[in-house]
Amino acid sequence: MSTPVISAREADVLALLGEHLSNAEIAARLFISVRTVESHVSSLLRKLEVPDRRALSRRAPEPARAERARPAPALPAPLTAFVGRTRERGELAAAVTERRLVAAVGLGGVGKTRLALAVAAQVAGDFADGVCFVDLVPVTDPGRVGAAVAAAMGVGEQPGRSIDDTLVAALADRQALLVLDNCEQVRDGVAPFLERLLVACPGIRVLATSRARLMVPFEWVFPVPPLSRVGGGESEAVALFLERAAAGGRAPAPAEHERIAALCERLDGMALAIELAAARWSTLGLDGLTAGLSDQLRILAGGPRADGRHRSVRAVLDWSHDLLEPQDRALLRRVSAFVAPFTAEAAAEVAGFAPLEAAAVADGLGRLAEQSLLAVTPSETGTRYQALETLRQYGTERLADAGELTDVRSRHLAWCLVGAAGLKEGGGPDWRARFDAVAEDLRAALAWAAALPEQRADACRLALSMAELAFTRNLLGEAQQRYEQAALLAAGADAADALRRAAGVAGCRRLGDDMYRLHRAAAEAARRAGDTAAAARDLAAAATAAYRFSSTFSRIPPVDEVTGLLAAAREQAGDDDPAAEAAVALAEAAVVADAFGAVQGAPDNSAPDTVACAEQAVELARIAGDPVARSAALDALSGARSWAGETFAAAAAARARLDILASAPSAPARTHELIDALAMAAATAVGAGELSAARRWGSRLAGQPQLAEVGDHATSWLLVADAFAGRADEVLTGSVRFLDAWEQAGRQRSFSLGPAAASVAMIHGLRGDHEARATWLTITDRAGSKEDHQHGHGAVFDTMVLLHHGDADTALERIAPEPEHVWKWVCWVWLHWYTALRAEAAVLAGHPDARGRIAAARDVVTGNPVATALVDRAEALLGGDLPRLLATAAAFDAAGCRYQWARTLLLAGGEHTAAGASALDDLGLTPMAVREPHHWRP
């Protein structure tokens, strides 16, 4: 017997069953719904062939049980011990567990981050979903606070919504502590983000660190004081100094503790100042420290930084800086340009100019690290260095004082441009890690350059590179943002091109409103550049999007507005630009002929006229030679053919799109087109009874990286194909991803989500699990069109369940309307299934016109292997023809429809019953009800 295949999520559930957790506890631990847990448990019971949960718990691997106690908090591991602050830890821990937002506020260097980390580790056990730490230092754009949090929590983007929307949905039922460190530089973004997050996510609590309070009414401020100097030589401040000095190799003698206390008093108990001073203890001793510090304090006294604590930190930094050799001073201030950890090679490129030679940079980095001025981090790509944020800010000021700020930032920008170009050209398994290692520097360089008119050209280049890289990294929201940013920095035709690319990304994100807006903006940019043909293409593209992708709009543009765009496109297209003519022809097919069946489409278009209009668009796109335009025109033709009832022609047009796109250059518009083409190829293959092809294209769709965070859209047609084939285990496994994604995405509606949910409901019905079926029918009503469920896919799936359980009379009622009476709902995918099942229901229910329905169905479905076999089986049942009935079983088997094959054997009865029942059992389905045995004619 083969070993059952258990998915990774099923293994997680099994491990937690081994801990004897309830479904609700498992759901909370894994951040999935209780209903999803129930589905996994049912699947495990079936796969492992055990009777109950107790038996399942015994099948949990012993190591897994030990490992599943509770995920470790996602906190950085400090390399030095936390010292003191007993009172603050207790008070802050209590505040975090009692209040939704606590802001630990204090001056730079006071020790806010270490205190927050210590408290987070202390209270982690109080949060079912643990702790997540987010360092906001690299974030330069207040609008990207949510993106930074999402990245830290492993939440990806989802088409049709912003990353903030996705994050809020993902955290809606989590119980976790979010630690936001260094909020001050993006305070304008943190406050509104947290207000929305905390309102929508009642189980989330936030501990923020900042130099200034966030200024929101729901914030509870915890002032972080300097380290206590109470107790003199026994104080917390002295304890920190002693611990850090001992780590440097020489511990101060007890007799020196009181003098150290005096030194700490002069440093006002600032943790950073004490640590930097302690790092010099082994070489300078107490006298050297006191002398150096006194000089600096005297120089700064009474200046613009007269605040005592701030002056103390600056004094230590100034003093530490002045103890360096001139070359090391230059290196320290120049590497402040880096936001993220950097390599020695990168530092050499940015900082290696007079008076510092590039060859000397590596040694200098080592010396700075030895002085605790740089942190050293080993990584897979080599040793990396990083300055603490306070030191970065100090270095930036020193750059300005030295007159090097523009020069160093320009060199950093040049380094970023070269790095971005290398990432665009290279790939490999480590590409993602290489991008992530430099992404924040690219963003920081872009923010600096975009603000300077003299750097506009380079900023535009970097914005375009960042857009392309973010798209490859599947950061679709940022990709669209960067393309739009590039358009603002570019001029003329380049701006229009960037806006078109942004529209392509918006398409991948299922943001129809943005597609429409961006194509219109591209048209305006092209018009200003004097390119009226390009403007016509963009106006036509906007009009097409309003009808072709109307289900992705939050507000569908008025018909008059869209027809006005089409008229303007016609006027500007001229007669000498094939691409513009093709774009206008496609818009006419969409808007005038309603080839895509849009909700706002005119109801009186004839099918022949629609087909003719779409055919003209296909021919003009072929002449224009644009693969993406040809694919879009073929999509219109596929839709028009389906309206005409030409199922096979519709499927052929959909398949042709994939061949054409295979040679198209990589671009957001091509990716968007490919995703749509895969969905349409899978859907129309289902309609034509080509289940193996539907499964192949549905699997490709499910594997598209841009759909990684929208498993509902990704798996939709794969679920439908597997359901028709009777692959119960695959459907139930896929339904978990579908349901999790659908719920996290805010329970969206779509033309493809309704059929997918209905197919899962059908499988539960065929398994005899009527409670689960009822749940999924409710999901179907919420995920898709109620009319489609009532008259289209719902009628087909419901009929199959009713026939399976022997209720032919109710099945006949469910599918009673003539196909032409429900044409809008069945002609696209469901026509053949609807017509064939209607004939079978008529036979099994004894309808007087059963033979007439068989004849009518045969005229429609000829050429569809599954639907033809259904009609042949109905006719064999009506005539009592056993050989012909068994011949349909072979036809079902050849077509990859194992469910109908097994059903046929059971309908044949007699010696075939056992084989049919065994086949259903192998598929994970329950035995079906069979009418009284036929009197088969010899």
Short mmCIF file of all heavy atoms in Angstrom, two decimals, residues 717-762:
data_model
loop_
_atom_site.label_atom_id
_atom_site.label_comp_id
_atom_site.label_asym_id
_atom_site.label_seq_id
_atom_site.Cartn_x
_atom_site.Cartn_y
_atom_site.Cartn_z
N TRP A 717 -9.54 27.67 -10.95
CA TRP A 717 -9.90 26.76 -12.04
C TRP A 717 -9.29 25.38 -11.88
O TRP A 717 -9.82 24.40 -12.41
CB TRP A 717 -9.51 27.39 -13.38
CG TRP A 717 -10.42 28.54 -13.68
CD1 TRP A 717 -10.12 29.87 -13.66
CD2 TRP A 717 -11.82 28.46 -13.96
NE1 TRP A 717 -11.24 30.62 -13.91
CE2 TRP A 717 -12.30 29.78 -14.11
CE3 TRP A 717 -12.71 27.41 -14.10
CZ2 TRP A 717 -13.63 30.07 -14.39
CZ3 TRP A 717 -14.05 27.69 -14.38
CH2 TRP A 717 -14.49 29.02 -14.52
N LEU A 718 -8.24 25.27 -11.13
CA LEU A 718 -7.72 23.95 -10.80
C LEU A 718 -8.72 23.18 -9.94
O LEU A 718 -8.94 21.98 -10.13
CB LEU A 718 -6.38 24.07 -10.08
CG LEU A 718 -5.68 22.76 -9.69
CD1 LEU A 718 -5.41 21.90 -10.92
CD2 LEU A 718 -4.37 23.07 -8.96
N LEU A 719 -9.36 23.87 -9.01
CA LEU A 719 -10.39 23.24 -8.19
C LEU A 719 -11.55 22.76 -9.05
O LEU A 719 -12.06 21.65 -8.86
CB LEU A 719 -10.90 24.23 -7.13
CG LEU A 719 -9.97 24.54 -5.96
CD1 LEU A 719 -10.54 25.67 -5.12
CD2 LEU A 719 -9.75 23.30 -5.10
N VAL A 720 -11.96 23.58 -9.99
CA VAL A 720 -13.09 23.20 -10.85
C VAL A 720 -12.74 21.97 -11.69
O VAL A 720 -13.52 21.01 -11.77
CB VAL A 720 -13.49 24.38 -11.75
CG1 VAL A 720 -14.55 23.94 -12.77
CG2 VAL A 720 -14.02 25.54 -10.92
N ALA A 721 -11.56 21.98 -12.31
CA ALA A 721 -11.15 20.84 -13.14
C ALA A 721 -11.05 19.57 -12.31
O ALA A 721 -11.51 18.49 -12.73
CB ALA A 721 -9.82 21.15 -13.83
N ASP A 722 -10.44 19.66 -11.13
CA ASP A 722 -10.31 18.48 -10.28
C ASP A 722 -11.66 17.98 -9.79
O ASP A 722 -11.88 16.78 -9.64
CB ASP A 722 -9.40 18.79 -9.09
CG ASP A 722 -7.93 18.75 -9.44
OD1 ASP A 722 -7.59 18.19 -10.51
OD2 ASP A 722 -7.11 19.27 -8.67
N ALA A 723 -12.58 18.90 -9.52
CA ALA A 723 -13.90 18.49 -9.05
C ALA A 723 -14.65 17.71 -10.12
O ALA A 723 -15.25 16.66 -9.84
CB ALA A 723 -14.71 19.72 -8.63
N PHE A 724 -14.62 18.19 -11.35
CA PHE A 724 -15.29 17.45 -12.43
C PHE A 724 -14.67 16.07 -12.63
O PHE A 724 -15.36 15.11 -12.95
CB PHE A 724 -15.22 18.24 -13.73
CG PHE A 724 -16.33 19.25 -13.88
CD1 PHE A 724 -16.06 20.58 -14.13
CD2 PHE A 724 -17.66 18.86 -13.79
CE1 PHE A 724 -17.07 21.51 -14.27
CE2 PHE A 724 -18.69 19.78 -13.93
CZ PHE A 724 -18.40 21.12 -14.17
N ALA A 725 -13.34 15.98 -12.43
CA ALA A 725 -12.66 14.70 -12.60
C ALA A 725 -12.91 13.77 -11.42
O ALA A 725 -12.64 12.57 -11.51
CB ALA A 725 -11.16 14.92 -12.78
N GLY A 726 -13.40 14.32 -10.30
CA GLY A 726 -13.64 13.51 -9.12
C GLY A 726 -12.44 13.35 -8.22
O GLY A 726 -12.39 12.44 -7.40
N ARG A 727 -11.47 14.25 -8.34
CA ARG A 727 -10.27 14.17 -7.50
C ARG A 727 -10.56 14.80 -6.14
O ARG A 727 -10.17 15.93 -5.85
CB ARG A 727 -9.11 14.91 -8.17
CG ARG A 727 -8.69 14.35 -9.52
CD ARG A 727 -7.68 15.29 -10.18
NE ARG A 727 -7.20 14.80 -11.45
CZ ARG A 727 -6.06 14.10 -11.61
NH1 ARG A 727 -5.32 13.83 -10.55
NH2 ARG A 727 -5.69 13.69 -12.79
N ALA A 728 -11.22 14.05 -5.28
CA ALA A 728 -11.69 14.61 -4.02
C ALA A 728 -10.55 15.07 -3.13
O ALA A 728 -10.61 16.17 -2.54
CB ALA A 728 -12.55 13.59 -3.28
N ASP A 729 -9.50 14.26 -2.98
CA ASP A 729 -8.41 14.64 -2.10
C ASP A 729 -7.74 15.93 -2.56
O ASP A 729 -7.44 16.81 -1.75
CB ASP A 729 -7.35 13.53 -2.04
CG ASP A 729 -7.82 12.34 -1.19
OD1 ASP A 729 -8.82 12.51 -0.47
OD2 ASP A 729 -7.20 11.28 -1.27
N GLU A 730 -7.53 16.06 -3.88
CA GLU A 730 -6.90 17.27 -4.40
C GLU A 730 -7.79 18.49 -4.18
O GLU A 730 -7.30 19.58 -3.83
CB GLU A 730 -6.59 17.12 -5.90
CG GLU A 730 -5.42 16.21 -6.21
CD GLU A 730 -5.86 14.75 -6.31
OE1 GLU A 730 -6.98 14.41 -5.85
OE2 GLU A 730 -5.07 13.94 -6.84
N VAL A 731 -9.09 18.31 -4.36
CA VAL A 731 -10.01 19.44 -4.15
C VAL A 731 -10.02 19.87 -2.69
O VAL A 731 -9.95 21.07 -2.37
CB VAL A 731 -11.42 19.08 -4.63
CG1 VAL A 731 -12.42 20.17 -4.22
CG2 VAL A 731 -11.45 18.90 -6.14
N LEU A 732 -10.10 18.90 -1.78
CA LEU A 732 -10.16 19.26 -0.36
C LEU A 732 -8.85 19.90 0.09
O LEU A 732 -8.86 20.84 0.88
CB LEU A 732 -10.46 18.01 0.47
CG LEU A 732 -11.85 17.39 0.24
CD1 LEU A 732 -12.03 16.16 1.10
CD2 LEU A 732 -12.95 18.40 0.52
N THR A 733 -7.72 19.41 -0.42
CA THR A 733 -6.44 20.03 -0.07
C THR A 733 -6.36 21.45 -0.63
O THR A 733 -5.97 22.39 0.06
CB THR A 733 -5.28 19.19 -0.61
OG1 THR A 733 -5.32 17.89 -0.01
CG2 THR A 733 -3.94 19.84 -0.29
N GLY A 734 -6.74 21.60 -1.90
CA GLY A 734 -6.71 22.93 -2.51
C GLY A 734 -7.70 23.89 -1.89
O GLY A 734 -7.47 25.10 -1.88
N SER A 735 -8.80 23.36 -1.36
CA SER A 735 -9.81 24.24 -0.79
C SER A 735 -9.30 24.96 0.44
O SER A 735 -9.78 26.05 0.78
CB SER A 735 -11.06 23.43 -0.43
OG SER A 735 -10.83 22.57 0.69
N VAL A 736 -8.31 24.37 1.13
CA VAL A 736 -7.76 25.02 2.31
C VAL A 736 -7.04 26.30 1.91
O VAL A 736 -7.25 27.37 2.50
CB VAL A 736 -6.80 24.07 3.05
CG1 VAL A 736 -6.12 24.78 4.21
CG2 VAL A 736 -7.55 22.84 3.54
N ARG A 737 -6.20 26.22 0.88
CA ARG A 737 -5.51 27.42 0.40
C ARG A 737 -6.51 28.44 -0.11
O ARG A 737 -6.39 29.64 0.15
CB ARG A 737 -4.53 27.04 -0.72
CG ARG A 737 -3.77 28.24 -1.28
CD ARG A 737 -2.87 27.86 -2.45
NE ARG A 737 -2.24 29.04 -3.04
CZ ARG A 737 -1.58 29.05 -4.19
NH1 ARG A 737 -1.44 27.93 -4.88
NH2 ARG A 737 -1.06 30.16 -4.65
N PHE A 738 -7.51 27.94 -0.84
CA PHE A 738 -8.54 28.84 -1.38
C PHE A 738 -9.24 29.59 -0.26
O PHE A 738 -9.36 30.82 -0.30
CB PHE A 738 -9.55 28.02 -2.18
CG PHE A 738 -10.70 28.82 -2.72
CD1 PHE A 738 -10.66 29.34 -4.00
CD2 PHE A 738 -11.85 29.05 -1.96
CE1 PHE A 738 -11.73 30.09 -4.51
CE2 PHE A 738 -12.91 29.79 -2.45
CZ PHE A 738 -12.84 30.31 -3.72
N LEU A 739 -9.71 28.86 0.75
CA LEU A 739 -10.50 29.49 1.80
C LEU A 739 -9.67 30.44 2.65
O LEU A 739 -10.12 31.55 2.98
CB LEU A 739 -11.14 28.41 2.69
CG LEU A 739 -12.11 28.91 3.76
CD1 LEU A 739 -13.24 29.71 3.13
CD2 LEU A 739 -12.65 27.76 4.58
N ASP A 740 -8.45 30.02 3.01
CA ASP A 740 -7.59 30.91 3.79
C ASP A 740 -7.36 32.22 3.05
O ASP A 740 -7.46 33.32 3.63
CB ASP A 740 -6.25 30.23 4.08
CG ASP A 740 -6.34 29.20 5.19
OD1 ASP A 740 -7.37 29.17 5.87
OD2 ASP A 740 -5.37 28.44 5.37
N ALA A 741 -7.03 32.11 1.76
CA ALA A 741 -6.74 33.32 0.99
C ALA A 741 -7.99 34.18 0.83
O ALA A 741 -7.93 35.41 0.92
CB ALA A 741 -6.18 32.94 -0.38
N TRP A 742 -9.12 33.54 0.58
CA TRP A 742 -10.37 34.30 0.38
C TRP A 742 -10.74 35.06 1.63
O TRP A 742 -11.12 36.24 1.57
CB TRP A 742 -11.48 33.33 -0.03
CG TRP A 742 -12.80 34.00 -0.28
CD1 TRP A 742 -13.12 34.83 -1.31
CD2 TRP A 742 -13.98 33.88 0.53
NE1 TRP A 742 -14.44 35.23 -1.20
CE2 TRP A 742 -14.99 34.66 -0.09
CE3 TRP A 742 -14.29 33.18 1.68
CZ2 TRP A 742 -16.27 34.77 0.44
CZ3 TRP A 742 -15.58 33.28 2.21
CH2 TRP A 742 -16.55 34.07 1.59
N GLU A 743 -10.60 34.44 2.78
CA GLU A 743 -10.94 35.13 4.03
C GLU A 743 -9.95 36.24 4.33
O GLU A 743 -10.32 37.33 4.76
CB GLU A 743 -10.99 34.11 5.17
CG GLU A 743 -12.18 33.17 5.08
CD GLU A 743 -12.24 32.18 6.22
OE1 GLU A 743 -11.17 31.88 6.79
OE2 GLU A 743 -13.35 31.71 6.53
N GLN A 744 -8.66 35.99 4.11
CA GLN A 744 -7.66 37.01 4.39
C GLN A 744 -7.77 38.17 3.42
O GLN A 744 -7.39 39.30 3.76
CB GLN A 744 -6.26 36.39 4.32
CG GLN A 744 -5.97 35.41 5.45
CD GLN A 744 -4.57 34.82 5.35
OE1 GLN A 744 -3.67 35.43 4.81
NE2 GLN A 744 -4.41 33.62 5.89
N ALA A 745 -8.29 37.93 2.23
CA ALA A 745 -8.44 39.00 1.25
C ALA A 745 -9.71 39.81 1.43
O ALA A 745 -10.01 40.69 0.64
CB ALA A 745 -8.40 38.41 -0.17
N GLY A 746 -10.46 39.51 2.49
CA GLY A 746 -11.66 40.27 2.73
C GLY A 746 -12.90 39.75 2.04
O GLY A 746 -13.88 40.46 1.83
N ARG A 747 -12.87 38.44 1.65
CA ARG A 747 -14.03 37.78 1.06
C ARG A 747 -14.54 38.50 -0.18
O ARG A 747 -15.68 38.94 -0.27
CB ARG A 747 -15.15 37.63 2.10
CG ARG A 747 -14.71 36.84 3.32
CD ARG A 747 -15.83 36.63 4.30
NE ARG A 747 -15.39 35.79 5.42
CZ ARG A 747 -16.20 35.32 6.36
NH1 ARG A 747 -17.49 35.62 6.32
NH2 ARG A 747 -15.73 34.57 7.33
N GLN A 748 -13.65 38.60 -1.16
CA GLN A 748 -13.97 39.31 -2.39
C GLN A 748 -14.90 38.48 -3.27
O GLN A 748 -15.00 37.27 -3.14
CB GLN A 748 -12.69 39.64 -3.15
CG GLN A 748 -11.76 40.59 -2.41
CD GLN A 748 -10.48 40.83 -3.18
OE1 GLN A 748 -10.05 40.01 -3.98
NE2 GLN A 748 -9.85 41.96 -2.92
N ARG A 749 -15.56 39.16 -4.22
CA ARG A 749 -16.39 38.49 -5.22
C ARG A 749 -15.67 38.50 -6.56
O ARG A 749 -14.99 39.47 -6.90
CB ARG A 749 -17.74 39.20 -5.39
CG ARG A 749 -18.70 39.02 -4.23
CD ARG A 749 -20.05 39.62 -4.55
NE ARG A 749 -20.98 39.53 -3.43
CZ ARG A 749 -21.78 38.49 -3.23
NH1 ARG A 749 -21.78 37.48 -4.08
NH2 ARG A 749 -22.60 38.47 -2.18
N SER A 750 -15.84 37.43 -7.33
CA SER A 750 -15.24 37.37 -8.65
C SER A 750 -15.94 36.30 -9.46
O SER A 750 -16.49 35.34 -8.91
CB SER A 750 -13.74 37.05 -8.56
OG SER A 750 -13.21 36.75 -9.84
N PHE A 751 -15.90 36.44 -10.80
CA PHE A 751 -16.56 35.48 -11.67
C PHE A 751 -15.94 34.10 -11.54
O PHE A 751 -16.57 33.09 -11.84
CB PHE A 751 -16.49 35.95 -13.13
CG PHE A 751 -15.13 35.79 -13.75
CD1 PHE A 751 -14.80 34.64 -14.44
CD2 PHE A 751 -14.17 36.78 -13.63
CE1 PHE A 751 -13.55 34.48 -15.00
CE2 PHE A 751 -12.92 36.63 -14.18
CZ PHE A 751 -12.60 35.48 -14.87
N SER A 752 -14.66 34.02 -11.11
CA SER A 752 -14.01 32.72 -11.00
C SER A 752 -14.08 32.13 -9.60
O SER A 752 -13.92 30.92 -9.42
CB SER A 752 -12.53 32.84 -11.41
OG SER A 752 -11.84 33.71 -10.55
N LEU A 753 -14.33 32.95 -8.59
CA LEU A 753 -14.34 32.44 -7.22
C LEU A 753 -15.61 31.68 -6.90
O LEU A 753 -15.58 30.69 -6.16
CB LEU A 753 -14.16 33.60 -6.23
CG LEU A 753 -12.86 34.40 -6.35
CD1 LEU A 753 -12.79 35.46 -5.27
CD2 LEU A 753 -11.64 33.48 -6.27
N GLY A 754 -16.74 32.13 -7.45
CA GLY A 754 -17.99 31.42 -7.23
C GLY A 754 -17.95 29.98 -7.72
O GLY A 754 -18.27 29.05 -6.96
N PRO A 755 -17.56 29.73 -8.99
CA PRO A 755 -17.46 28.34 -9.45
C PRO A 755 -16.49 27.50 -8.64
O PRO A 755 -16.74 26.32 -8.40
CB PRO A 755 -16.98 28.50 -10.90
CG PRO A 755 -17.43 29.86 -11.31
CD PRO A 755 -17.35 30.70 -10.08
N ALA A 756 -15.38 28.10 -8.21
CA ALA A 756 -14.41 27.34 -7.43
C ALA A 756 -15.02 26.88 -6.11
O ALA A 756 -14.89 25.71 -5.71
CB ALA A 756 -13.17 28.19 -7.17
N ALA A 757 -15.70 27.80 -5.41
CA ALA A 757 -16.33 27.43 -4.14
C ALA A 757 -17.43 26.40 -4.38
O ALA A 757 -17.60 25.45 -3.59
CB ALA A 757 -16.89 28.68 -3.46
N ALA A 758 -18.19 26.56 -5.45
CA ALA A 758 -19.26 25.61 -5.76
C ALA A 758 -18.71 24.23 -6.06
O ALA A 758 -19.33 23.20 -5.74
CB ALA A 758 -20.09 26.12 -6.93
N SER A 759 -17.54 24.17 -6.68
CA SER A 759 -16.94 22.86 -6.98
C SER A 759 -16.53 22.14 -5.70
O SER A 759 -16.65 20.92 -5.60
CB SER A 759 -15.74 23.03 -7.91
OG SER A 759 -14.66 23.67 -7.25
N VAL A 760 -16.05 22.91 -4.70
CA VAL A 760 -15.72 22.30 -3.42
C VAL A 760 -16.99 21.80 -2.74
O VAL A 760 -17.03 20.70 -2.16
CB VAL A 760 -14.99 23.30 -2.51
CG1 VAL A 760 -14.67 22.66 -1.16
CG2 VAL A 760 -13.70 23.79 -3.17
N ALA A 761 -18.05 22.60 -2.81
CA ALA A 761 -19.33 22.17 -2.24
C ALA A 761 -19.80 20.88 -2.90
O ALA A 761 -20.33 19.98 -2.22
CB ALA A 761 -20.37 23.28 -2.43
N MET A 762 -19.61 20.76 -4.21
CA MET A 762 -20.03 19.55 -4.91
C MET A 762 -19.27 18.32 -4.40
O MET A 762 -19.86 17.27 -4.15
CB MET A 762 -19.82 19.69 -6.41
CG MET A 762 -20.29 18.47 -7.19
SD MET A 762 -19.84 18.49 -8.94
CE MET A 762 -18.11 18.06 -8.85
#
